[in-house]
């Protein structure tokens, strides 16, 4: 159970994912992808606003926000971005992240004190809800991630689907490093602490538990079914998505997952699209809209002292019609890419 709790913190804490992504020795699936699927992915991302880039400046008069899209797992390739952002953080009135150290601590304690947050003690078990073939595939994948079948059987489906998206090699690296190596969010928080720059959270610590609260039983199981195929080649998946991130092809990451599910999940295309739409709404779009007020208020307070703010959050929150950059642009901010 101790390993499962560590994995839970890894899956749920946006800034404290301490696994080493570069410890995964898989292959980039774009290198062997059929040309027609690659063309479909490229076509899907073509018209998405701000589909490329990790580092941006948003300005409106004397309001200034420096925004960086992060990857929540450790990787040696984060170093240049940390160096680039160090002076911005030192000069900023505050660093805004999805969850700061206080939120991280509260979430970790909640997971330890209330197992029902990720375990369903009363309802039907996953073996009872899935087909025998699906349960066998799931229990094997979760065992690779440190969760025995007896525990997996009672885990909440939304948490299982998140865990399936994390490569076992990342979890192994987390265990071997004792949680001492973090993703870009964690590294930037460390820089802010050194510079004595205040750290602010974009949302409450328990936001994650509200995102899936009203899913139907069928939606819960479809989340697992959509995530299961990629779990079998999770190391390859991790390398593919990590390489896409560091090349700045942010929305390509999202569409890669969609087309992989089309081909391998066994779900009808309409159900895959429904799952993707639901996930985008819950995990990104709805949260982005709430963050805009926090960011604008923070920039307004900072300008009183002639300063700006820095915001660091998962890279998939940057692009799209309801992405943070487009929403700021709708509020009159001019957006300039700094890393292209």
């Amino acid at each position: 159970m101790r390993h499962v709790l560590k994995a839970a913190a890894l899956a749920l804490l946006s800034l404290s994912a301490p696994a080493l992504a570069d410890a995964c020795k898989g292959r980039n699936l774009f290198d062997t992808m059929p040309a027609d699927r690659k063309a479909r992915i490229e076509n899907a991302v073509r018209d998405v606003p701000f589909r490329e880039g990790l580092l941006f400046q948003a300005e409106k008069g004397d309001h200034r926000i420096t925004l960086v899209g992060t990857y929540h797992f450790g990787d040696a390739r984060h170093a240049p971005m940390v160096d680039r952002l160090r002076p911005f953080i030192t000069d900023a009135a505050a660093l805004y992240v999805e969850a700061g150290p206080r939120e991280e601590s509260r979430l970790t304690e909640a997971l330890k004190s209330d197992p029902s947050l990720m375990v369903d003690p009363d309802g039907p078990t996953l073996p009872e809800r899935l087909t025998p073939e699906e349960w066998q595939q799931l229990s094997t994948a979760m065992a690779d991630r440190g969760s025995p079948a007896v525990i997996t059987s009672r885990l909440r489906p939304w948490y299982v689907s998140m865990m399936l998206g994390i490569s076992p090699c990342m979890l192994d690296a987390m265990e071997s490093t004792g949680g001492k190596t973090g993703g870009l969010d964690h590294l930037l928080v460390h820089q802010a602490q050194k510079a004595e720059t205040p750290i602010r959270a974009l949302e409450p610590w328990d936001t994650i538990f509200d995102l899936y609260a009203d899913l139907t039983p069928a939606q819960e199981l479809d989340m697992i079914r959509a995530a299961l195929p990629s779990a079998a080649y999770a190391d390859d998946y991790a390398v593919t998505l990590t390489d896409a991130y560091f090349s700045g092809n942010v929305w390509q990451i999202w569409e890669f997952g969609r087309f992989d599910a089309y081909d391998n999940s066994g779900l009808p295309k309409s159900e895959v699209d429904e799952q993707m739409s639901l996930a985008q709404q819950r995990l990104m779009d709805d949260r982005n809209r709430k963050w805009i007020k926090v960011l604008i208020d923070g920039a307004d307070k900072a300008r009183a002292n002639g300063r700006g703010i820095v915001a660091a959050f998962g890279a998939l929150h940057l692009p799209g019609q309801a992405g943070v950059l487009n929403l700021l642009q709708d509020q009159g901010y001019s957006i300039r890419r700094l890393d292209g």
Side-chain angles (χ1 to χ4, degrees):
M1 190 66 180
R2 181 176 60 88
H3 189 83
V4 175
L5 283 171
K6 281 191 176 183
L10 171 61
L12 301 181
L13 290 172
S14 64
L15 65 83
S16 66
L20 299 172
D22 49 1
C24 297
K25 304 303 181 184
R27 59 195 173 95
N28 190 318
L29 295 171
F30 277 104
D31 295 340
T32 57
M33 183 181 295
D36 63 327
R37 193 204 284 192
K38 189 177 295 186
R40 285 185 292 162
I41 292 174
E42 291 173 353
N43 186 62
V45 305
R46 184 171 293 120
D47 297 325
V48 174
F50 303 105
R51 65 188 181 277
E52 295 181 336
L54 299 174
L55 183 62
F56 295 85
Q57 190 87 60
E59 294 180 311
K60 180 181 179 181
D62 51 3
H63 294 72
R64 186 174 72 258
I65 309 172
T66 302
L67 304 109
V68 59
T70 65
Y71 180 66
H72 299 320
F73 295 93
D75 194 294
R77 289 171 287 181
H78 288 315
M81 186 64 80
V82 173
D83 292 340
R84 181 82 182 271
L85 284 166
R86 187 175 292 110
F88 288 94
I89 291 173
T90 299
D91 293 339
L95 169 68
Y96 285 78
V97 291
E98 293 175 53
R102 284 178 295 183
E103 290 75 26
E104 173 185 351
S105 177
R106 290 193 66 181
L107 179 52
T108 301
E109 288 305 312
L111 289 169
K112 291 179 180 178
S113 62
D114 184 4
S116 69
L117 291 172
M118 63 177 184
V119 175
D120 182 358
D122 302 316
T125 65
L126 289 176
E128 294 170 323
R129 299 176 66 183
L130 296 167
T131 68
E133 294 78 10
E134 288 171 338
W135 168 244
Q136 180 60 51
Q137 188 179 0
L138 175 61
S139 60
T140 298
M142 290 297 288
D144 290 341
R145 289 156 177 79
S147 176
V150 66
I151 293 177
T152 298
S153 67
R154 283 290 180 186
L155 291 176
R156 297 194 181 277
W158 64 265
Y159 170 70
V160 170
S161 68
M162 292 181 71
M163 285 302 305
L164 291 174
I166 300 176
S167 170
C169 67
M170 292 181 175
L171 294 173
D172 290 344
M174 174 188 71
E175 189 77 9
S176 66
T177 61
K180 295 179 181 178
T181 305
L184 182 57
D185 319 66
H186 198 195
L187 297 172
L188 296 180
V189 164
H190 179 64
Q191 292 299 319
Q193 291 170 329
K194 287 175 59 177
E196 298 185 350
T197 298
I199 300 164
R200 308 280 186 243
L202 287 165
E203 59 192 7
W205 68 271
D206 56 354
T207 295
I208 187 67
F209 302 117
D210 295 329
L211 298 179
Y212 305 98
D214 59 350
L215 292 182
T216 67
Q219 287 174 324
E220 290 182 330
L221 295 185
D222 280 348
M223 288 177 66
I224 293 176
R225 293 185 177 111
L228 263 176
S230 62
Y233 53 97
D235 287 0
D236 292 342
Y237 210 90
V239 169
T240 303
L241 301 190
T242 305
D243 287 352
Y245 168 79
F246 283 103
S247 67
N249 292 316
V250 176
W251 201 251
Q252 187 184 70
I253 296 169
W254 185 253
E255 294 301 336
F256 173 86
R258 180 193 304 276
F259 284 92
D260 184 69
Y262 284 163
D263 293 345
N264 297 309
S265 70
L267 295 174
K269 182 176 181 293
S270 60
E271 290 189 27
V272 171
D273 286 338
E274 182 181 345
Q275 282 293 312
M276 295 293 290
S277 178
L278 179 66
Q280 181 176 334
Q281 177 188 337
R282 299 288 182 95
L283 294 176
M284 293 181 283
D285 295 355
D286 289 349
R287 295 166 72 199
N288 294 346
R289 294 185 179 99
K290 294 177 181 178
W291 293 356
I292 291 301
K293 184 179 187 308
V294 178
L295 292 172
I296 291 176
D297 287 349
D300 188 52
K301 293 175 183 177
R303 78 182 177 98
N305 295 317
R307 305 170 83 179
I309 62 172
V310 176
F313 44 77
L316 282 171
H317 291 276
L318 290 173
Q321 292 291 339
V324 169
L325 295 173
N326 205 53
L327 293 176
L328 284 173
Q329 189 167 257
D330 289 345
Q331 293 294 318
Y333 278 77
S334 62
I335 308 297
R336 178 167 56 99
R337 184 178 173 184
L338 300 182
D339 65 339

